[in-house]
């Protein structure tokens, strides 16, 4: 059974600081890994999708890396802004489902 | 291109009742999945539908059931509601292949 862990559970940083969010998973037989953002009480917004054959993916201030053999992914957010405050979830896909971590809740202080 | 839409947004039901949640998948997507997210936790996979058939199921009892229609929209039905069924229910759509999932805004179900 796939287990996904996200560390830290919560993070508070001043505006402008870079964010580093970690995700680990126990079974490396994945098709891809997806990072999502979730605002309180809302649905999930996809940020980045990394295929199992890729090492990293970038979109604007966001960069995600994937090391499938060691079961790790890292999401970097450069020059954080108060609008980046949210919960960030990573999810790994196998066969027909996503397995999620519990998320990292980020607060960016102005 | 329309995204995934879910209805209703909020719902309050009494223990023992039955509920139906609805989802319209993103245009061009043929697969729909349902997830349950309890407060403070990550979403948990309930089941997935492809070509109107359930083709994957998580660790949920049979009182959780679903349907997928020819237009790829879907319903999640929950019978004999329990207090622990209170959660955010998320619908996600995707297409065959190693593509990502698109999620809707969710339905917040409260069982009292």
């Amino acid at each position: 059974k796939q287990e996904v862990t996200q560390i830290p559970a919560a993070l508070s940083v001043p505006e402008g600081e870079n964010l580093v969010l970690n995700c680990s998973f126990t079974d490396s037989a994945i098709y891809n890994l997806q990072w999502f953002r979730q605002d309180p009480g809302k649905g999930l917004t996809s940020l980045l999708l990394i295929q199992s054959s890729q090492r990293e993916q970038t979109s604007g201030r966001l960069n995600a890396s994937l090391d499938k053999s060691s079961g790790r992914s890292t999401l970097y957010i450069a020059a954080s802004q108060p609008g980046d405050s949210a919960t960030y979830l990573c999810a790994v896909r196998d066969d027909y489902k996503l397995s999620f971590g519990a998320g990292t809740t980020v607060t960016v202080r102005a | 291109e329309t995204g995934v839409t879910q209805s209703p947004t909020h719902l309050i039901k009494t223990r023992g009742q039955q509920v139906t949640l609805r989802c319209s998948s993103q245009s061009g997507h043929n697969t729909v999945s349902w997830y349950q997210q309890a407060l403070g936790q990550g979403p948990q996979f309930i089941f997935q539908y492809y070509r109107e058939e359930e083709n994957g199921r998580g660790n949920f009892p049979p009182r959780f059931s679903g349907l997928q229609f020819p237009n790829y929209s879907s319903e999640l039905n929950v019978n004999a509601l329990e207090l622990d069924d209170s959660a955010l229910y998320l619908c996600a759509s995707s297409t065959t292949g190693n593509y990502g999932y698109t999620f809707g805004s969710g339905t917040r179900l409260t069982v009292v």
Side-chain angles (χ1 to χ4, degrees), chain A residues 79-98:
Chain A
S80 61
Q81 305 168 357
D84 294 329
S85 298
T87 296
Y88 293 82
L89 295 154
C90 77
V92 295
R93 177 178 174 176
D94 58 30
D95 284 347
Y96 52 79
K97 70 180 187 297
L98 295 176

Side-chain angles (χ1 to χ4, degrees), chain A residues 29-80:
Chain A
I30 64 170
Y31 288 127
N32 55 49
L33 183 146
Q34 202 165 354
W35 282 93
F36 295 92
R37 169 187 171 135
Q38 186 173 35
D39 293 298
K42 304 295 185 184
L44 307 183
T45 300
S46 180
L47 298 174
L48 290 168
L49 171 70
I50 311 176
Q51 299 297 342
S52 62
S53 58
Q54 296 179 311
R55 299 285 291 184
E56 67 177 325
Q57 194 69 247
T58 297
S59 176
R61 295 184 295 112
L62 276 59
N63 174 277
S65 66
L66 174 64
D67 184 342
K68 197 176 78 158
S69 61
S70 67
R72 296 176 189 275
S73 177
T74 302
L75 177 67
Y76 301 89
I77 303 177
S80 61

Side-chain angles (χ1 to χ4, degrees), chain B residues 8-65:
Chain B
T9 54
H10 295 86
L11 204 51
I12 300 175
K13 288 288 189 178
T14 302
R15 188 172 49 183
Q17 284 188 317
Q18 178 265 342
V19 69
T20 297
L21 310 182
R22 295 179 172 82
C23 172
S24 294
S25 60
Q26 180 168 309
S27 175
H29 286 184
N30 56 13
T31 300
V32 66
S33 307
W34 288 89
Y35 290 78
Q36 180 195 66
Q37 186 178 24
L39 208 59
Q41 298 181 22
Q44 297 294 314
F45 175 72
I46 303 175
F47 44 56
Q48 175 171 282
Y49 278 81
Y50 171 66
R51 291 186 174 179
E52 302 176 52
E53 297 280 336
E54 183 183 298
N55 72 337
R57 188 176 185 94
N59 189 26
F60 281 82
R63 59 189 185 85
F64 285 79
S65 63

